[in-house]
Amino acid sequence: MARTIDVVSLYPKDMNIYGDSGNVLTIRRRLELYGYEPVVHQYNQGDDWPDQVDLILGGGGQDTGQKKIIDDFYHRADLLRSLAADGTPMLMICGLYQLFGEYFETVDGTRLDGIGVIGAYTVGQNVRMIGNLVEHSDQFGDVIGYENHSGQTFLREGVQPLGTVDQDSRGNNGEDHTEGARVHNVIGTYMHGSLLPKNPAISDFLIETAVTRRCGTFDTSDQTTEQAKELARIDQVATNARKAAAERPR
């Protein structure tokens, strides 16, 4: 019997650039292949919040997208902070990574407050950090994605990065060789691409955390032989995509 896992796609209408919707598709498909029944709730500003939330995925957006969702985002701030503190797994990409921090200050000095889930702040600059990127993570191994941002994000003391990068002028801020952030079960990162299709280890961390919290254990006994074969095929595709991306600067 299928077991339901409720996934929230946060502001997909306005915060979904560079293929971030692929993260939602990946989580949904992998849940199915593990023998679970994903229910994806697309939450846009003004919508009713779902009764059950097991996993939250948020994407990047241009400044106009951030401005469109910001009032509703502040309205949901206490709820999001509570869910994060309780251990709900979340993946926030680029623009929503910034808004999960303390604040974003644009090049012209305009300040946009974040909701403070992640101890970090972002300052705009005129030079963009862009291109395929490999970062090294203790938990997930090499993480491969595509960054494209002009904001420099600085982590507060004690905040764990998602990983480290070898190159100068890349990652969170181009200076300290960090990329992304980890707080509770929340992952923030600048990695587009989409990130999750190329990084099954992160996908499975989010899935296993969500399922264990909802069901008590991560049990794949309902997985069929066909599902296991399809999952192996998808993982091989990911391996090939990772290799190609790692060898190309853009």
Side-chain angles (χ1 to χ4, degrees):
M1 181 177 180
R3 295 147 293 177
T4 301
I5 300 296
D6 289 270
V7 180
V8 171
S9 175
L10 198 59
Y11 305 118
K13 181 178 177 182
D14 295 300
M15 302 298 286
N16 172 30
I17 57 175
Y18 306 124
D20 292 331
S21 60
N23 294 327
V24 180
L25 296 174
T26 296
I27 290 293
R28 181 169 63 189
R29 185 59 176 148
R30 293 183 79 86
L31 276 167
E32 291 172 343
L33 293 175
Y34 280 126
Y36 291 87
E37 182 180 318
V39 176
V40 176
H41 307 270
Q42 293 198 347
Y43 178 82
N44 290 295
Q45 54 268 36
D47 290 346
D48 292 332
W49 189 259
D51 293 332
Q52 177 69 38
V53 176
D54 299 310
L55 195 161
I56 303 178
L57 302 169
Q62 297 176 339
D63 291 347
T64 53
Q66 289 181 329
K67 290 175 182 177
K68 286 181 181 179
I69 62 100
I70 197 66
D71 288 342
D72 187 272
F73 185 65
Y74 290 154
H75 177 65
R76 298 295 180 186
D78 286 344
L79 174 61
L80 291 168
R81 283 191 287 260
S82 176
L83 288 168
D86 191 47
T88 302
M90 305 183 189
L91 174 66
M92 296 296 140
I93 307 291
C94 200
L96 280 171
Y97 167 35
Q98 294 172 348
L99 290 177
F100 263 61
E102 297 171 6
Y103 66 85
F104 174 75
E105 185 176 298
T106 63
V107 174
D108 63 10
T110 303
R111 178 166 164 154
L112 192 64
D113 288 332
I115 62 173
V117 169
I118 298 171
Y121 63 94
T122 302
V123 179
Q125 61 172 348
N126 291 316
V127 178
R128 300 193 72 83
M129 289 176 274
I130 182 170
N132 285 311
L133 186 63
V134 178
E135 65 179 283
H136 314 297
S137 164
D138 290 340
Q139 181 172 357
F140 304 118
D142 282 352
V143 178
I144 297 177
Y146 188 91
E147 67 172 348
N148 185 356
H149 59 105
S150 59
Q152 289 182 296
T153 295
F154 297 90
L155 306 182
R156 296 295 189 185
E157 186 175 356
V159 177
Q160 178 186 356
L162 173 60
T164 59
V165 298
D166 296 330
Q167 303 99 313
D168 294 328
S169 303
R170 303 295 298 272
N172 275 333
N173 51 58
E175 298 176 10
D176 61 15
H177 291 252
T178 66
E179 201 291 312
R182 295 283 307 277
V183 177
H184 307 301
N185 289 321
V186 177
I187 297 174
T189 178
Y190 279 111
M191 295 290 219
H192 297 282
S194 308
L195 174 68
L196 295 186
K198 288 200 293 288
N199 296 277
I202 298 180
S203 299
D204 287 348
F205 163 76
L206 295 168
I207 288 171
E208 290 180 24
T209 303
V211 169
T212 301
R213 285 171 47 81
R214 177 75 178 266
C215 304
T217 60
F218 179 64
D219 177 14
T220 60
S221 60
D222 284 354
Q223 186 184 47
T224 66
T225 301
E226 290 74 18
Q227 287 172 329
K229 288 181 179 178
E230 177 62 10
L231 193 61
R233 186 193 69 81
I234 290 174
D235 286 349
Q236 184 58 53
V237 171
T239 298
N240 296 340
R242 288 166 57 81
K243 184 176 185 295
E247 294 173 351
R248 297 178 61 184
R250 287 286 179 94

